[in-house]
Amino acid sequence: MTSSLLLMNPALSWTDPEATAALRFKVKPFCPPAGACYWARRWRSPISAMIPNIHLPMRSLEVKNRTSVDDIKSLRLITAVKTPYLPDGRFDLEAYDSLIHMQIINGAEGVIVGGTTGEGHLMSWDEHIMLIGHTVNCFGTSIRVIGNTGSNSTGEAIHATEQGFAVGMHAALHINPYYGKTSLEGMVSHFEAVLSMGPTIIYNVPSRTGQDIPPSVIRTISQNPNMAGVKECMGNDRIKGYVDKGIVIWSGNDDECHDSRWAFGATGVVSVASNLVPGLMHELMFQGKNPSLNSKLMPLIKWLFQEPNPVGLNTALAQLGVIRPVFRLPYVPLPRARRLEFVRIVKSLGRENFIGEKDVEFLDDDDFILVGRY
């Protein structure tokens, strides 16, 4: 004790006998009453750490301005809507509102906000929730708003979904944890953590997540009353298997959606192409088998997906003049040859079938703005 005090106070010296003597005193050890401190002698794991889901979801039981699970299950044409930008990379809400208006008047029943096509992965969560709330406030009585509040972090998915439903979205879209993949049991737990909050569509796209959501997982979580269905990208055989078991399915592939709907029992499609030709996609989903129209749309659909979505869609909407030619990196426009090809596709399919009123035009490289800081 004496030496430590001296070390802390250099003014005192071992050669100063009076100072040293003054510091020499006996320290009595602290002794609490018998039994008073027993808990500190033997550490025990907190009981709360062993209770799953101690943090209950922030949900309200009040009647909300949103649709039921059954209403979500009935949607046939859902557009994964594009998010347009201003030259500085912020949202172009005027152009966005125009895109939503064109979806409504052409018969789309729902929109995915901030999905892969809407570049939700390039947004902050503040931007993401704001855009969901904006869509609900402006269009929620005319079209079903499905917010992509999924994440590979269960905690983020829970928080974003709580916020999404709080601002009025009608349903949530949830993906399985990507990159940091989990076990099948972990996948079930992830989905169960968010299903309690409201109507939910599960999205299976292994080409992006690196992990398939197998039928065993879907069958398990389909018992939850908030499970609306699955956006399935693994083909029509998988879709048929789910439909036979009474699970609602939307095709996630524009090139397969006609057969998915009319030959394999899918309820409809979550479409990228409907951003461009919503009227034709509505006809494809509502008017019965139409192999002729389906074949007519194939050149456009194949063109859209030559590069990872939404590269083709962003390029096409800019060439149609309905959005500014602004890209948030890492997305960049399709090369010149592909842009020229799009002009030919529009003329072949008929400009009147596409959204917007301006003539389709070829845009040069210098016409595009690439934003890296947003």
Side-chain angles (χ1 to χ4, degrees), residues 286-343:
F286 282 77
Q287 302 300 322
K289 289 184 178 180
N290 193 337
S292 175
L293 175 58
N294 189 50
S295 297
K296 190 177 178 182
L297 286 166
M298 280 304 117
L300 171 63
I301 292 171
K302 290 180 179 178
W303 181 89
L304 272 175
F305 295 99
Q306 291 176 95
E307 296 290 346
N309 181 50
V311 172
L313 177 64
N314 294 353
T315 305
L317 290 170
Q319 289 189 246
L320 290 171
V322 293
I323 66 169
R324 290 178 169 86
V326 180
F327 283 64
R328 279 187 175 184
L329 290 172
Y331 297 123
V332 297
L334 288 176
R336 293 172 58 90
R338 299 303 186 193
R339 301 199 293 267
L340 283 169
E341 184 182 354
F342 180 67
V343 174

Side-chain angles (χ1 to χ4, degrees), residues 3 8 47 55-56 63 71 79 117 137 155 160 182 185 188 192 225-226 231 239 267 287 355 361 370:
S3 60
M8 289 188 289
I47 295 176
H55 297 291
L56 298 175
V63 176
D71 285 337
T79 297
T117 305
N137 288 333
T182 184
E185 292 81 4
V188 169
E192 287 180 341
N226 282 330
K231 176 187 175 184
I239 288 174
T267 295
Q287 302 300 322
I355 64 169
E361 60 179 330
L370 309 181

Side-chain angles (χ1 to χ4, degrees), residues 46 68-69 110 120 136 140 144 146 169 173 181 188 201 216 231-232 265 279 284 286 294 321 323:
S68 68
V69 176
V136 171
R144 299 293 180 252
I146 303 160
M169 70 182 184
L173 180 73
K181 297 181 288 187
V188 169
I201 296 174
S216 60
K231 176 187 175 184
E232 181 59 70
L284 204 64
F286 282 77
N294 189 50
I323 66 169

Side-chain angles (χ1 to χ4, degrees), residues 108-370:
E109 297 173 300
V111 287
I112 304 289
V113 177
T116 306
T117 305
E119 301 177 20
H121 47 289
L122 303 186
M123 300 176 189
S124 69
W125 278 115
D126 284 345
E127 288 180 313
H128 207 133
I129 300 302
M130 181 276 282
L131 192 61
I132 292 172
H134 172 81
T135 310
V136 171
N137 288 333
C138 296
F139 308 103
T141 59
S142 302
I143 198 165
R144 299 293 180 252
V145 179
I146 303 160
N148 171 33
T149 54
S151 172
N152 60 347
S153 161
T154 305
E156 281 192 8
I158 290 171
H159 186 60
T161 304
E162 287 171 343
Q163 291 185 322
F165 279 122
V167 300
M169 70 182 184
H170 301 110
L173 180 73
H174 279 284
I175 202 164
N176 53 307
Y178 49 89
Y179 188 72
K181 297 181 288 187
T182 184
S183 63
L184 298 186
E185 292 81 4
M187 204 182 292
V188 169
S189 296
H190 174 84
F191 289 133
E192 287 180 341
V194 293
L195 275 164
S196 62
M197 298 176 202
T200 300
I201 296 174
I202 303 300
Y203 181 17
N204 186 32
V205 55
S207 63
R208 290 188 180 270
T209 65
Q211 186 178 30
D212 182 30
I213 306 175
S216 60
V217 169
I218 296 299
R219 286 195 297 268
T220 299
I221 63 177
S222 67
Q223 305 305 310
N224 191 295
N226 282 330
M227 168 78 164
V230 182
K231 176 187 175 184
E232 181 59 70
C233 297
M234 285 296 285
N236 286 327
D237 289 339
R238 175 75 65 89
I239 288 174
K240 181 65 163 57
Y242 286 140
V243 170
D244 288 346
K245 294 186 178 299
I247 299 172
V248 172
I249 302 294
W250 293 270
S251 173
N253 301 319
D254 281 313
D255 60 341
E256 297 179 347
C257 69
H258 173 269
D259 292 347
S260 301
R261 171 88 168 101
W262 303 112
F264 293 90
T267 295
V269 63
V270 177
S271 176
V272 175
S274 58
N275 278 278
L276 301 172
V277 287
L280 295 182
M281 292 303 296
H282 181 274
E283 184 178 346
L284 204 64
M285 290 295 101
F286 282 77
Q287 302 300 322
K289 289 184 178 180
N290 193 337
S292 175
L293 175 58
N294 189 50
S295 297
K296 190 177 178 182
L297 286 166
M298 280 304 117
L300 171 63
I301 292 171
K302 290 180 179 178
W303 181 89
L304 272 175
F305 295 99
Q306 291 176 95
E307 296 290 346
N309 181 50
V311 172
L313 177 64
N314 294 353
T315 305
L317 290 170
Q319 289 189 246
L320 290 171
V322 293
I323 66 169
R324 290 178 169 86
V326 180
F327 283 64
R328 279 187 175 184
L329 290 172
Y331 297 123
V332 297
L334 288 176
R336 293 172 58 90
R338 299 303 186 193
R339 301 199 293 267
L340 283 169
E341 184 182 354
F342 180 67
V343 174
R344 293 192 290 268
I345 289 173
V346 172
K347 291 179 179 178
S348 174
L349 199 54
R351 178 62 184 89
E352 68 278 4
N353 291 310
F354 288 79
I355 64 169
E357 298 177 353
K358 298 179 181 179
D359 288 337
V360 61
E361 60 179 330
F362 171 78
L363 296 179
D364 209 341
D365 291 345
D366 294 339
D367 294 323
F368 292 94
I369 299 173
L370 309 181

